[in-house]
Amino acid sequence: MSRVYPFDDAATARAVIGTDGTLVEWNEGARRLLGHPADAVLGRPATELLADAGTPVPPTGSRWAGTVGLRHRDGRTVPVWLLAHHRPAHDEHPGDWLVVTPLIGTDPPAGDDPLTEAGLIQSPCPVAVYDDRLRLRRMNEAMAGVVGLPEARVRGLRLAEIGGRPQSEELEENMLRVLNSGRPLDVQTFMRAGGEDRAHAWLASMAPVRDPAGRVRGVCLAAHDITDNHRARQRLQLLNEASVRIGTTLDVTRTAQELADVCVPALADFVTIDLLDPQEYGGEPPARITAPVRLRRAAHQSVLPDLPEVVVPPGTAEEYPALSPQADSLTAGRTIIAALSAGDMDQWLTWHPERGERVRRFGIHSSMSVPIQARGLTLGVAVLIRHRRPDPFTADDVLLAEEITARAAVCIDNARRYSRERETALALQRSLLPRSLPRTAALDASSRYLPAARAGVGGDWFDVIPLSGMRVAMVVGDVVGHGIQASATMGRLRTAVRTLADIDLAPDELLTHLDDLVLRLSEDAGADGSPGEVGATCLYAVYDPVSRRCSLARAGHPPPVLLRPGGRPQLLDLPAGPPLGLGGLPFESTEVDLPEGTVLALYTDGLVQCRERDLDASRELLFRALGQDAASLDEACDYVLHALLPGGAAPDDVALLLARTRGLPASQVATWDIPADPALVAPIRKQVVDQLDAWSLSEATFTAELVVSELVTNAIRYGARPIRLRLIHDETTLICEVSDTSHTAPHLRRAKTFDEGGRGLLLVAQLTQRWGSRHTPEGKTIWAELPLYEEDQ
């Protein structure tokens, strides 16, 4: 059965005085004390009740206590001890003064009173006993020291009347629970005791007081100052928060901002983070710092909106002289506290008037400069400033700031090292990837490369390689892993692909040789103790604009997407093949016809693999993007990246190569079957001259005659029938090709002075832009390229 709220309003004389000095509340206890009914005094000046006009109404300060003479209704003067609390304005209630004095319980309790027996007057712990109406019956000297008033003056008042604060009312409500339930209760609160300037953390232990019959007759309240424990928990909580909030990314500026955010308002009202610029010291922070020190503002934070204390904007570098807190802390290598009242900032503020103006405007009174140090290097300095909080920095604050800064310093150093390695890897990647794609008669091409947003630069690459006979090779590959090692491996594989492409290997043969190379790289990596094996995937394609056929093979790589003119994008059905580095497994080539204007999309798996969607959904997005009406391949690349990577960042690096095929018309190709008779070379030369005249390429006739004569003569002498001559030209190049069924490749040799032969291929090499041979399923082809126009000098 719950107890009725035991407050007797008439047991305390209570009045409320407004800020203008008029009475706004008057209870029954006040009427009993002075005889004036409420309607006679409410709205009238409180000074009319004073027998001595010299007493200020309302009083000053936050609390006032004293004895004053008050006018009774019958005209006599009544000396009354009053306790007045100033209650500041909150919500919609204006500020006022609560004035109280006890009417009952002012006499000492009887000796056999159980409340008296529970007093614990000699206890060093503050103890107070309240009766069943929750009015103070007794308190010891320790509690009187906490309250700031003697027991005789407050005996008979409720806790809310003694404390006069919202926390006092909350404690009183909990005391009522103890009174009703008969069970003890511990309550933590943070409040300022009577007469103190700073709030403390308190543990209020409440227990019921029982008589010999076991009936609850009151509540005993013991107060324990747990400020030190409270602050220790706050420090641990702040350190835990710092470990969670600082270092969420490998970005130096973001990490510095996280450090500033954690320190405000827990430790300071304004925080600045300034870092050394490693580029000014050859890429690494210096081992020893001397003043003046040049620092760059990385981050700052304030308890005030819009950060009005800021003098240096983010990203700006400033030089700090020896008299500045920043330079003093960095050169000393330790935390330095400066107080305005002690004159520690005078020289610095005189040297920098703008900062001096901020100090005066916001009332900055102390600062703490903490070096940001990690792994034996000094990275910068954090400056913590207080202006709203009145208390200066303490030794505990220094320890806490150094602990948080040390954790942040490791994160900043990790981010700095990662950024440096990422920039190095990006530079290496850019140097290894083609800066521009070659212009060829076989196709138009456009590409994109995006490094991974978090993992960094990887081993994705692409290339377009001109081949003989107007053909062109396209390659896209992906090395497993990220970082400089992956980029270096990518560079070796790209070089190998170019070398193998130069000898005109078929796609499946090229991948076989590349597989052997990756195996050797894995063995080398294991030999020097490097972790893991080298692995890669690759797609290699060769397109011939004369036949308009494309030969492709892949090694564990995503299949390409084809978009034929007027059709829909579709995956090319191409055997997957094993990834490079497994060894001993075959690769298979596929040939497809590609009408002129076909778009071929080659890409790495970073483009289509995503946690938010499955592979089929990504491919559908790719199909839609490729199906859009783009004005150019560059625009088509942008469509694809926007569709699959709308934020512009990918979890893995991405390489994309789009190519639109061209076809050489039959009118630009001429073919002759060559009889195996050296005497018939002259008629062949005549036919070549006639064909060049028909193509309006007479200026190339002399050189073409010599090259055709040498190549055809060599084929007749050393080759095998059938022998075929083919001429191909575009706007800039004339290509002469002679094919036969012999697999013996020609080679240059040094002819002696009196030799009658041996100079033919040397002459071809001198007269042509480039020449070479390639093996075919039927034999070999010797080819030579002649420029049709002289290059500008």
Side-chain angles (χ1 to χ4, degrees), residues 194-456:
E196 291 188 328
D197 295 331
R198 297 177 58 185
H200 289 257
W202 297 93
L203 174 64
S205 297
M206 307 174 187
V209 178
R210 302 178 184 274
D211 61 13
R215 293 173 299 181
V216 177
R217 298 287 303 276
V219 177
C220 178
L221 171 66
H224 308 277
D225 189 346
I226 57 171
T227 304
D228 291 340
N229 291 337
H230 178 74
R231 289 176 178 171
R233 286 197 302 270
Q234 282 186 319
R235 288 194 291 269
L236 289 175
Q237 183 178 356
L238 187 58
L239 288 174
N240 180 67
E241 184 180 356
S243 65
V244 173
R245 293 177 57 185
I246 300 176
T248 59
T249 66
L250 287 171
D251 180 83
V252 173
T253 303
R254 177 71 178 273
T255 305
Q257 187 62 55
E258 290 167 347
L259 170 59
D261 293 343
V262 165
C263 292
V264 175
L267 265 176
D269 300 319
F270 178 57
V271 172
T272 63
I273 310 296
D274 296 292
L275 300 180
L276 292 163
D277 191 349
Q279 301 305 321
E280 298 185 8
Y281 302 93
E284 281 289 324
R288 184 172 179 273
I289 298 176
T290 57
V293 185
R294 189 169 181 81
L295 299 170
R296 189 175 299 276
R297 177 61 51 84
H300 44 224
Q301 186 57 277
S302 172
V303 294
L304 303 177
D306 302 326
L307 291 88
E309 308 100 322
V310 171
V311 175
V312 179
T316 302
E318 187 178 19
E319 193 171 86
Y320 293 86
L323 50 85
S324 65
Q326 291 87 343
D328 289 348
S329 176
L330 289 176
T331 54
R334 59 181 176 82
T335 301
I336 292 180
I337 294 178
L340 186 67
S341 58
D344 300 333
M345 303 182 188
D346 292 349
Q347 286 184 300
W348 167 233
L349 299 179
T350 302
W351 185 85
H352 202 300
E354 189 174 0
R355 280 188 166 88
E357 186 274 332
R358 295 291 201 284
V359 167
R360 290 187 293 273
R361 188 201 309 178
F362 298 104
I364 294 173
H365 57 81
S366 57
S367 71
M368 176 168 55
S369 303
V370 187
I372 302 174
Q373 300 170 325
R375 301 183 177 98
L377 294 175
T378 299
L379 308 177
V381 61
V383 179
L384 292 74
I385 292 172
R386 286 182 177 175
H387 53 73
R388 176 177 288 182
R389 292 176 56 167
D391 49 315
F393 290 106
T394 64
D396 288 340
D397 293 330
V398 171
L399 294 176
L400 182 58
E402 288 178 342
E403 179 69 22
I404 294 175
T405 303
R407 298 188 182 193
V410 174
C411 297
I412 290 175
D413 191 47
N414 289 340
R416 181 187 65 85
R417 292 170 183 265
Y418 167 79
S419 299
R420 184 182 60 184
E421 180 176 337
R422 178 179 172 85
E423 289 172 1
T424 303
L426 277 173
L428 176 63
Q429 184 89 340
R430 293 190 191 101
S431 68
L432 296 175
L433 289 174
R435 296 188 178 183
S436 61
L437 299 179
R439 298 180 62 184
T440 68
L443 50 82
D444 297 318
S446 183
S447 62
R448 292 290 188 275
Y449 172 77
L450 292 179
R454 293 181 178 270

